[in-house]
Amino acid sequence: AQYHAFGKIIVSKGSFKMWKLLIKNASPGLSVGICPLSRCTWNIRGRFDDIVNRGYGLSVTDGHIYHFGKKEKFIQRTFEKNDVIIIELNMKKNEKYGTLKFYVNDRDYGYAFERIYSQFEYKLAICMKGQDEV
């Protein structure tokens, strides 16, 4: 089974937010990122970053990024226990789009997504399976 957790803070157009996550244990299927507010519900079906839910995610298992059913290699490393992931959502850059960056252990991996639709509001999203701890 998979489970989701969502942050409390809502990020909208004109806002900037960074979240800092400590990976305590990661099993296949652990993803972190952002999800549109309308999809952040206790009964979400599928992953927050799939074609239905339209979130933006990073797989902590393999370094791929996911959005709208598309998968792309982004980070060429294996994640380990006690890695620190920072998620940066910048909705101030432009009127139509925001950006999403990921940092791992203070290393900036650049923009994972540069077209985050600013007409939506977002929350931190985590998809977990098994014994994951964040």
Side-chain angles (χ1 to χ4, degrees):
Q2 68 185 11
Y3 308 93
H4 285 84
F6 301 104
K8 290 184 178 184
I9 295 171
I10 298 169
V11 182
S12 57
K13 186 189 296 186
S15 300
F16 177 91
K17 179 66 182 160
M18 293 177 87
W19 294 275
K20 189 174 190 176
L21 307 174
L22 174 64
I23 305 302
K24 298 296 273 178
N25 189 35
S27 62
L30 176 62
S31 293
V32 299
I34 60 169
C35 186
L37 180 61
S38 64
R39 298 292 184 170
C40 297
T41 63
W42 67 271
N43 62 347
I44 187 171
R45 294 180 188 259
R47 293 168 48 105
F48 72 86
D49 53 9
D50 67 13
I51 196 165
V52 174
N53 296 306
R54 300 183 180 194
Y56 301 81
L58 169 67
S59 169
V60 175
T61 307
D62 61 14
H64 284 89
I65 52 174
Y66 293 84
H67 172 63
F68 207 67
K70 295 179 183 167
K71 171 183 168 180
E72 180 182 326
K73 189 67 173 174
F74 182 66
I75 295 177
Q76 304 289 335
R77 74 182 300 277
T78 303
F79 289 85
E80 299 171 357
K81 183 177 180 176
N82 295 320
D83 278 346
V84 175
I85 299 174
I86 296 175
I87 303 167
E88 176 189 292
L89 177 57
N90 187 347
M91 301 291 279
K92 290 182 170 186
K93 280 201 167 237
N94 136 346
E95 186 66 24
K96 196 171 181 181
Y97 301 110
T99 59
L100 187 66
K101 290 176 99 174
F102 293 98
Y103 302 77
V104 181
N105 300 328
D106 293 323
R107 179 175 172 195
D108 182 351
Y109 281 89
Y111 294 107
F113 301 99
E114 295 187 79
R115 294 173 64 96
I116 306 291
Y117 294 103
S118 61
Q119 75 263 33
F120 299 111
E121 296 177 311
Y122 298 91
K123 282 186 170 186
L124 170 70
I126 302 171
C127 181
M128 299 172 276
K129 288 184 178 181
Q131 302 297 313
D132 295 329
E133 289 182 60
V134 179

